[in-house]
């Protein structure tokens, strides 16, 4: 169990039987009365948020969370198969858990999976991955305003925004946290 004085940003707690992570934290000491701990919490399973205020003697439960380091192996229908780095056991994760980050999986990529009560709830990918552009429109002469972008289709079907100078066949580095273009990469 956590006491209110243990609370800090990034801590994972159990509220009403559901796992949350603290995204914002503020300590408040009014002139009279006891100190207060104001928190903004984000639900680990569905992403909803809530605000809570705790007093110093309040207690919060510790959620049953486990993190495993894994390697992405292959896709199997709507599931994605990972191999546990310790015992090489296969772990299947439904595509709904991955969301749009499924487009940035690369075979043999080192990832981590967060489990709540033995079920995978979150997959953390490497921060940057490299993917190839397979389709994009040619830049039009005169479109040189600052930060102009165009649609580009990746080798896995995902569409991202890239600068005008990126062409078909180019490799790009993508930030998996936001799904956005980072830079062009020279291959070979």
């Amino acid at each position: 169990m956590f006491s209110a004085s243990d609370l800090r940003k990034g801590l994972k707690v159990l509220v009403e039987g559901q796992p949350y992570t603290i995204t914002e934290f503020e300590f408040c000491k009014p002139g009279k009365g006891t100190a207060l701990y104001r928190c903004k919490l984000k639900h680990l399973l569905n992403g909803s948020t809530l605000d809570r205020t705790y007093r110093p003697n309040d207690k919060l439960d510790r959620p049953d969370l486990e993190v495993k380091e894994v390697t992405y192996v292959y896709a199997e229908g709507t599931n994605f198969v990972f191999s546990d780095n310790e015992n090489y056991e296969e772990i299947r994760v439904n595509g709904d858990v991955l969301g749009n980050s499924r487009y940035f999986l690369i075979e043999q990529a080192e990832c981590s999976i967060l489990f709540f009560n033995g079920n995978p709830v979150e997959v953390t990918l490497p921060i940057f991955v490299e993917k190839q552009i397979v389709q994009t429109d040619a830049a039009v002469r005169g479109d040189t305003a600052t930060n102009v972008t165009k649609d580009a289709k990746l080798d896995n079907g995902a569409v991202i925004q890239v600068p005008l100078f990126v062409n078909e066949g180019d490799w790009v580095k993508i930030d998996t946290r936001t799904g956005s273009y980072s830079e062009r990469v020279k291959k070979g």
Side-chain angles (χ1 to χ4, degrees):
M1 296 205 45
F2 296 114
S3 69
S5 60
D6 295 329
L7 300 180
R8 65 188 182 286
K9 187 175 179 177
L11 184 70
K12 292 174 176 50
V13 295
L14 201 62
V15 177
E16 298 170 2
Q18 296 296 311
Y20 286 86
T21 185
I22 298 174
T23 57
E24 293 179 29
F25 174 78
E26 179 185 356
F27 174 76
C28 180
K29 177 78 169 111
K32 287 183 164 184
T34 61
L36 300 172
Y37 299 91
R38 291 193 181 113
C39 300
K40 185 167 277 198
L41 303 159
K42 180 180 176 190
H43 198 283
L44 286 175
L45 304 179
N46 62 25
S48 64
T49 61
L50 59 93
D51 294 318
R52 287 286 166 98
T53 302
Y54 297 101
R55 299 187 182 281
N57 57 354
D58 290 343
K59 302 283 185 204
L60 287 107
D61 289 325
R62 186 181 307 257
D64 177 21
L65 296 174
E66 179 186 8
V67 175
K68 288 186 178 182
E69 297 302 318
V70 297
T71 302
Y72 173 64
V73 185
Y74 60 91
E76 181 181 72
T78 60
N79 291 324
F80 295 84
V81 181
F82 296 84
S83 172
D84 189 323
N85 289 349
E86 288 182 18
N87 59 16
Y88 303 107
E89 176 181 307
E90 284 189 348
I91 300 168
R92 285 174 170 65
V93 177
N94 190 302
D96 295 339
V97 173
L98 283 161
N100 286 337
S101 61
R102 77 180 97 197
Y103 296 116
F104 309 118
L105 278 172
I106 297 175
E107 287 187 13
Q108 302 305 312
E110 298 292 322
C111 306
S112 61
I113 299 178
L114 176 67
F115 290 87
F116 173 63
N117 290 339
N119 297 317
V121 295
E122 181 181 79
V123 177
T124 305
L125 304 179
I127 295 173
F128 294 104
V129 296
E130 294 176 1
K131 289 285 195 178
Q132 188 174 23
I133 304 294
V134 294
Q135 180 185 359
T136 187
D137 296 331
V140 177
R141 188 176 176 96
D143 280 348
T144 56
T146 308
N147 294 332
V148 176
T149 60
K150 61 182 178 178
D151 288 344
K153 192 174 192 177
L154 300 176
D155 53 6
N156 59 9
V159 176
I160 64 168
Q161 294 291 309
V162 296
L164 293 177
F165 60 82
V166 175
N167 300 311
E168 285 183 23
D170 286 351
W171 285 80
V172 294
K173 186 182 277 190
I174 300 167
D175 186 334
T176 60
R177 299 166 296 187
T178 61
S180 62
Y181 166 88
S182 178
E183 65 182 303
R184 188 165 53 175
V185 178
K186 299 281 188 208
K187 285 280 190 177

